[in-house]
Amino acid sequence: MKQVTVIIVGNGDRANCYCRFALNHPESLKVAAIVDPSERKRREGAEKYGVSSELCFRSVTECIAYHEVHGRIADAVLDCTMDELHYETAMPFLEKGYHMLLEKPIVNNMEQLLEIKRTAEANGCLLMVCHVLRYTPFFMAVKEVILRGDIGEIVHMETSEN
């Protein structure tokens, strides 16, 4: 399998969960660039993943400007920004043909959702939506307890993310 390169947009906990794979399997995944308004998060990401400072950007606008001059930066984008930023951070990359992993909710209104869908399709982008909580250690432990039958038969379950 060919190594996949990614741009992290929003270098927080979720991005680091995804990119831990790059540290353990560098032949399969490489972080090529980082976009984050925080200088500290850009620096930490650069050190952790071996990204040159030239490929660490304060904004999507800066990253796209680099793309315009130097060409394609990576195969895909991991958009790990806050939910309310998804539309503004995703659209420029989709318009340039970058495949994307985007967390849920994609956006909070149907108009933007359909525009993201149309843009991804028009530019041949794979758009993957990630439901991250099911893989967190807490929920994995809960699932193990349930599957082992430690608490008996489950009749009803309700969860809430606060």
Side-chain angles (χ1 to χ4, degrees), residues 4 11 67:
V4 175
N11 188 37
H67 164 97

Side-chain angles (χ1 to χ4, degrees), residues 95-120:
E95 289 167 352
K96 297 298 178 191
Y98 284 90
H99 303 303
M100 182 173 292
L101 175 82
L102 186 59
E103 295 182 341
K104 71 163 183 73
I106 296 173
V107 289
N108 294 318
N109 70 71
M110 186 62 76
E111 182 181 310
Q112 288 180 342
L113 177 66
L114 293 174
E115 189 174 351
I116 285 174
K117 179 182 184 292
R118 283 190 297 270
T119 302

Side-chain angles (χ1 to χ4, degrees), residues 8-162:
I8 294 174
V9 181
N11 188 37
D13 290 337
R14 299 254 171 100
N16 284 288
C17 285
Y18 301 143
C19 293
R20 188 175 306 123
F21 185 83
L23 299 175
N24 296 324
H25 303 280
E27 72 286 353
S28 298
L29 182 66
K30 177 179 176 30
V31 176
I34 298 170
V35 178
D36 197 291
S38 165
E39 181 180 344
R40 178 185 57 79
K41 288 183 177 184
R42 289 191 311 272
R43 186 180 60 251
E44 287 174 358
E47 290 171 8
K48 182 183 262 185
Y49 304 114
V51 176
S52 75
S53 60
E54 179 185 19
L55 293 169
C56 292
F57 306 97
R58 288 178 294 186
S59 67
V60 169
T61 303
E62 281 185 4
C63 187
I64 293 296
Y66 184 94
H67 164 97
E68 293 295 333
V69 173
H70 300 280
R72 192 165 192 84
I73 299 168
D75 300 311
V77 170
L78 303 178
D79 190 328
C80 302
T81 60
M82 305 271 293
D83 297 346
E84 62 271 12
L85 299 176
H86 286 172
Y87 180 81
E88 68 187 75
T89 56
M91 286 297 289
F93 287 107
L94 294 172
E95 289 167 352
K96 297 298 178 191
Y98 284 90
H99 303 303
M100 182 173 292
L101 175 82
L102 186 59
E103 295 182 341
K104 71 163 183 73
I106 296 173
V107 289
N108 294 318
N109 70 71
M110 186 62 76
E111 182 181 310
Q112 288 180 342
L113 177 66
L114 293 174
E115 189 174 351
I116 285 174
K117 179 182 184 292
R118 283 190 297 270
T119 302
E121 289 173 347
N123 292 292
C125 302
L126 294 175
L127 180 59
M128 300 153 281
V129 180
C130 190
H131 299 259
V132 296
L133 287 178
R134 72 178 69 185
Y135 300 110
T136 60
F138 169 78
F139 282 112
M140 298 283 287
V142 169
K143 181 179 178 182
E144 287 175 23
V145 167
I146 291 169
L147 291 176
R148 282 195 313 259
D150 292 356
I151 57 176
E153 181 183 353
I154 302 297
V155 176
H156 175 80
M157 182 185 302
E158 184 174 330
T159 62
S160 175
E161 178 186 357
N162 295 318

